[in-house]
Amino acid sequence: MESHQPLPTAVEALARLQQGNERFVQGRARFPTVQKEILAELAKGQRPYATILGCSDSRVPPELVFDASFGELFVIRVAGNVLGPAILGTLQYAGAHLKTPLFVVLGHEGCGAVEAAIGTHFHAAQHRSRIELLLEQITPALAGLDVSQPPETLLQQAVEANVRHTVASLRATPEAQAREQEGLMQLVGAVYELQTGRVRFLAPDAQSA
Ligand SMILES: [Zn+2]
């Protein structure tokens, strides 16, 4: 791996993720195994080109979805791709020390955490206490959604709203603002489609909800 070369720009990093997801969708993924030489090189240190905040859902493994190998992605997975102290600390590490040029908040269709938050927010559903704490991170994203829609449509909109909410919360931090303004990093939202395997990157104007 190119541990001594400069990191790609955010635009190049995003193109890499999109090309990797295209190979994955087309069934042309590059990495059936990892060669010993790559492991030996990675033992010297990591230089991931993107940080991914995704969901713990077993159907959305970021490295496979983006056809990315060991050492390429710095990944945080938490149910509902929400924020919290430990996650913000991990993201801060990615920004300050790894300096990944691209940060992706990756939601996915059919997210159980978002579905549970819909239940809590609109139907007063009850959950165990620690799950409630998790869902509290999602419910602010649901304000303004039309609960009279078919449940499938509501969930689809809620998944995207939750990604936008997380992106907006991150973008609101002084650190992210400074790094984005200096062109040191880009922050994008995306939604993974369960059936097609495709990652749909959200348009920039749709991210600042
Ligand atoms: Zn999920």
Side-chain angles (χ1 to χ4, degrees):
M1 305 296 289
E2 331 81 327
S3 56
H4 301 297
Q5 290 178 11
L7 280 163
T9 65
V11 171
E12 288 162 353
L14 184 56
R16 268 202 212 180
L17 292 184
Q18 288 171 322
Q19 288 157 8
N21 183 234
E22 188 60 32
R23 289 193 301 277
F24 171 73
V25 169
Q26 301 295 333
R28 295 185 286 105
R30 292 179 299 164
F31 294 109
T33 59
V34 173
Q35 298 92 331
K36 282 185 181 148
E37 307 80 66
I38 291 178
L39 294 181
E41 187 60 34
L42 286 173
K44 298 174 192 166
Q46 64 167 332
R47 298 266 291 165
Y49 65 81
T51 296
I52 314 282
L53 172 56
C55 182
S56 299
D57 193 297
S58 61
R59 299 168 294 179
V60 195
E63 285 89 348
L64 298 181
V65 161
F66 292 117
D67 187 29
S69 190
F70 290 32
E72 293 190 346
L73 303 181
F74 190 71
V75 176
I76 305 158
R77 290 178 74 176
V78 58
N81 38 272
V82 298
L83 297 177
I87 288 135
L88 284 164
T90 311
L91 289 165
Q92 194 166 47
Y93 176 80
H97 295 281
L98 300 176
K99 303 188 193 305
T100 66
L102 182 69
F103 284 69
V104 179
V105 176
L106 178 64
H108 68 96
E109 288 180 346
C111 183
V114 174
E115 196 170 19
I118 289 173
T120 297
H121 188 66
F122 293 112
H123 311 294
Q126 304 262 316
H127 300 277
R128 287 169 183 269
S129 61
R130 288 171 201 278
I131 295 179
E132 285 289 354
L133 286 175
L134 173 76
L135 300 182
E136 278 173 18
Q137 300 287 326
I138 301 177
T139 43
L142 306 180
L145 293 182
D146 177 7
V147 70
S148 68
Q149 314 176 75
E152 219 168 280
T153 314
L154 177 61
L155 178 56
Q156 226 166 33
Q157 289 184 1
V159 161
E160 195 170 313
N162 182 47
V163 168
R164 285 202 305 267
H165 175 70
T166 302
V167 168
S169 303
L170 280 176
R171 187 163 280 148
T173 64
E175 201 170 341
Q177 274 173 8
R179 291 184 69 79
E180 252 192 331
Q181 273 162 19
E182 287 168 37
L184 294 175
M185 71 104 167
Q186 265 182 35
L187 185 55
V188 296
V191 174
Y192 175 77
E193 300 174 354
L194 289 179
Q195 294 240 344
T196 63
R198 191 172 295 284
V199 174
R200 179 168 55 87
F201 285 91
L202 304 182
D205 62 324
Q207 286 170 29
S208 50

